[in-house]
Amino acid sequence: MPRPRSEKARQSVLATMRAAVTSDGYESVTIEGLAAEAGVSKQTIYRWWSSKAAILGEALLDGSLPTPALPVSEDLAEDLRAWFSAMSSDASHGASVEVARALIAVTATDAVLGLRLNERLAGPIVEQVISRLRVAQDAGDVRSDVDVAVVADQFIAMSSYAALLGRPLDEARVGAVVDVLMRGISAR
């Protein structure tokens, strides 16, 4: 009968993985390094996880990644500009870049885990955008035929791309994106 996981050892490995990815990058993480830093054996890691990607996936599912709240005011365009600027600013941090790149690697190696990570990490952001756009639809500011989920996905895609490249969108670019979006969805 296999030994049960030690929760303390598990948490140590997951915390070590989160720290390693944000400081050194996913590619530089090794099982040997994780084991040494977490104070567990390589056999323990291999017994509990099938791959480095599986460890990262569990670490991200288990941890938290705060995201800026989407404001709700009388001006949808200004709310979107403020939120998108904050999201883009967060994307410029090295940790965000490394996490975005690591998520792509995890998704490429484990589609089921990638889907769970997307639901866990992008899901709340998508829901924020959908909720804000529905408020705007109810107020008559956004056309009723606009698929707000599609618009939300576009914000995720643009934010992810900026994080992947490590290039935050500057204020002019954010403004241009929101202006184009508003021309496409505005009811007025």
Side-chain angles (χ1 to χ4, degrees):
M1 172 185 259
R3 291 185 355 211
R5 279 187 179 187
S6 158
E7 187 58 22
K8 181 179 177 186
R10 176 183 166 276
Q11 289 299 326
S12 180
V13 171
L14 298 178
T16 300
M17 174 57 94
R18 284 189 292 270
V21 165
T22 57
S23 66
D24 302 325
Y26 180 74
E27 292 303 317
S28 67
V29 174
T30 64
I31 298 298
E32 293 79 12
L34 283 175
E37 189 67 28
V40 301
S41 70
K42 286 191 316 185
Q43 289 116 336
T44 296
I45 290 177
Y46 285 120
R47 184 172 45 248
W48 292 347
W49 292 282
S50 60
S51 66
K52 181 171 81 165
I55 301 168
L56 176 63
E58 188 172 334
L60 293 174
L61 286 172
D62 199 51
S64 63
L65 297 173
T67 57
L70 181 55
V72 178
S73 72
E74 297 292 318
D75 187 346
L76 173 62
E78 187 52 41
D79 291 349
L80 292 174
R81 273 191 285 278
W83 176 79
F84 204 31
S85 290
M87 290 291 288
S88 184
S89 175
D90 284 353
S92 69
H93 295 67
S96 295
V97 172
E98 290 303 327
V99 169
R101 290 175 180 159
L103 283 172
I104 291 170
V106 169
T107 301
T109 59
D110 187 337
V112 173
L113 180 57
L115 181 61
R116 288 181 54 216
L117 284 167
N118 184 57
E119 289 170 356
R120 162 78 168 78
L121 302 175
I125 298 168
V126 167
E127 289 306 315
Q128 268 193 75
V129 175
I130 288 172
S131 176
R132 178 61 184 97
L133 292 174
R134 285 192 177 136
V135 167
Q137 279 179 324
D138 292 344
D141 296 329
V142 171
R143 293 190 336 264
S144 62
D145 66 333
V146 169
D147 185 336
V148 295
V150 169
V151 175
D153 284 344
Q154 295 309 305
F155 273 103
I156 293 295
M158 292 171 61
S159 296
S160 298
Y161 187 66
L164 182 62
L165 295 179
R167 292 187 306 190
L169 301 173
D170 61 25
E171 292 299 317
R173 186 80 167 159
V174 167
V177 167
V178 171
D179 289 346
V180 167
L181 171 71
M182 292 305 297
R183 282 195 300 273
I185 68 173
S186 182
R188 298 168 192 194

